[in-house]
Amino acid sequence: MGTWPGNRSKPDRSVSLEQYRLRARIYDTELAAFEPIRTAAVDKLDLQPGQWVLDVGCGTGLSFGLLEDGVGPRGRITGIDQCPEMLAQARERVKEHHWRNVELVEKPAASAVVKGRADAVLFHFTHDILRDAGGIGRIVAHLKPGARVAAAGLQWAPPWMLPTNAFVLLAAMHSVTSFEGLSSPWDLLAVHLDGLHVDTTMLGGVYVASGRVKH
Ligand SMILES: C[S@@+](CC[C@H](N)C(=O)[O-])C[C@H]1O[C@@H](n2cnc3c(N)ncnc32)[C@H](O)[C@@H]1O
């Protein structure tokens, strides 16, 4: 089947682990162009001091600084990622910044166990995670009713936006293991949310979806 995501109808864990094992050291540089999206997504969480936020598919921890700004030193951040090499970078970042309120969980999102229910969750460029309905259900079970949810990432633009879709294709080839659901990547998450709101940016090639966990 090779590594071509177009050949797969659902994400493949071992392919993803290999993708990110190879990218871990250069990942932060590659993501630089998307930083305004990260800020927009974290803004949607409207984090308050003392809150607990999950960063699902946290990668190298690029969102931690913004999440720290929101929850403050009395708050808590739990970063979940299945890729040891990405999490090693995240661990370095936590050490460098002397953040004492960040916990890292090296597990597939669907089987990560955390105690209690969090106030908010971020899915930033985590298409593979968002295409597993069962896994999303298990993550939502770790959230309080009314918890804020934000998800951002690549999406197909309308078919006539050829340059945008060429860009999405190039970026997705290296970051997702299946193109399934790339037209509306948030739809499996949306069934758990009230007040779903979806913004599109980067000429339709990137979305930021947000809402609150249903009561
Ligand atoms: C494109 S990176 C995004 C990292 C980070 N959220 C960011 O915005 O910089 C996708 C991350 O999701 C992780 N990932 C993919 N599938 C996963 C799964 N099923 N469970 C946990 N992590 C997963 C990868 O290891 C990778 O670190």
Side-chain angles (χ1 to χ4, degrees):
M1 191 177 272
T3 54
W4 177 243
N7 289 343
R8 261 178 235 103
S9 59
K10 59 182 173 64
D12 182 306
R13 178 165 188 252
S14 56
V15 174
S16 175
L17 283 170
E18 183 64 5
Q19 240 173 13
Y20 287 99
R21 183 179 73 76
L22 298 172
R23 287 181 71 191
R25 284 192 174 277
I26 51 162
Y27 179 81
D28 290 5
T29 319
E30 289 179 346
L31 259 273
F34 296 102
E35 288 312 301
I37 316 289
R38 188 185 306 282
T39 306
V42 174
D43 277 354
K44 297 280 185 195
L45 297 177
D46 191 25
L47 293 170
Q48 303 298 318
Q51 285 190 328
W52 176 24
V53 58
L54 307 182
D55 184 356
V56 181
C58 65
T60 63
L62 275 174
S63 299
F64 292 170
L66 291 171
L67 298 177
E68 281 285 344
D69 290 346
V71 301
R74 287 186 300 106
R76 185 174 159 203
I77 299 168
T78 300
I80 300 167
D81 204 288
Q82 66 180 5
C83 176
E85 291 81 4
M86 293 291 272
L87 272 190
Q89 302 286 322
R91 212 165 282 120
E92 277 300 305
R93 189 185 308 277
V94 171
K95 207 166 128 194
E96 222 171 85
H97 289 270
H98 306 287
W99 289 322
R100 297 187 187 287
N101 57 350
V102 182
E103 164 198 27
L104 298 176
V105 179
E106 190 181 306
K107 283 272 182 202
S111 56
V113 176
V114 294
K115 269 196 180 155
R117 288 180 169 232
D119 299 288
V121 64
L122 176 68
F123 299 89
H124 191 264
F125 283 72
T126 56
H127 185 72
D128 280 9
I129 297 174
L130 290 175
R131 300 319 297 166
D132 171 7
I136 289 177
R138 285 190 281 280
I139 294 160
V140 170
H142 292 303
L143 297 169
K144 291 177 183 164
R148 288 189 191 259
V149 178
L154 298 166
Q155 66 174 4
W156 293 132
W160 59 89
M161 303 282 284
L162 289 179
T164 302
N165 283 331
F167 159 78
V168 172
L169 178 67
L170 270 177
M173 271 168 58
H174 302 290
S175 54
V176 311
T177 65
S178 168
F179 293 148
E180 186 279 322
L182 214 47
S183 299
S184 52
W186 61 87
D187 60 5
L188 300 177
L189 183 62
V191 299
H192 298 281
L193 304 184
D194 277 333
L196 175 74
H197 181 84
V198 184
D199 293 319
T200 58
T201 179
M202 291 201 163
L203 299 173
V206 170
Y207 71 92
V208 179
S210 59
R212 281 171 173 262
V213 171
K214 283 182 179 164
H215 282 266

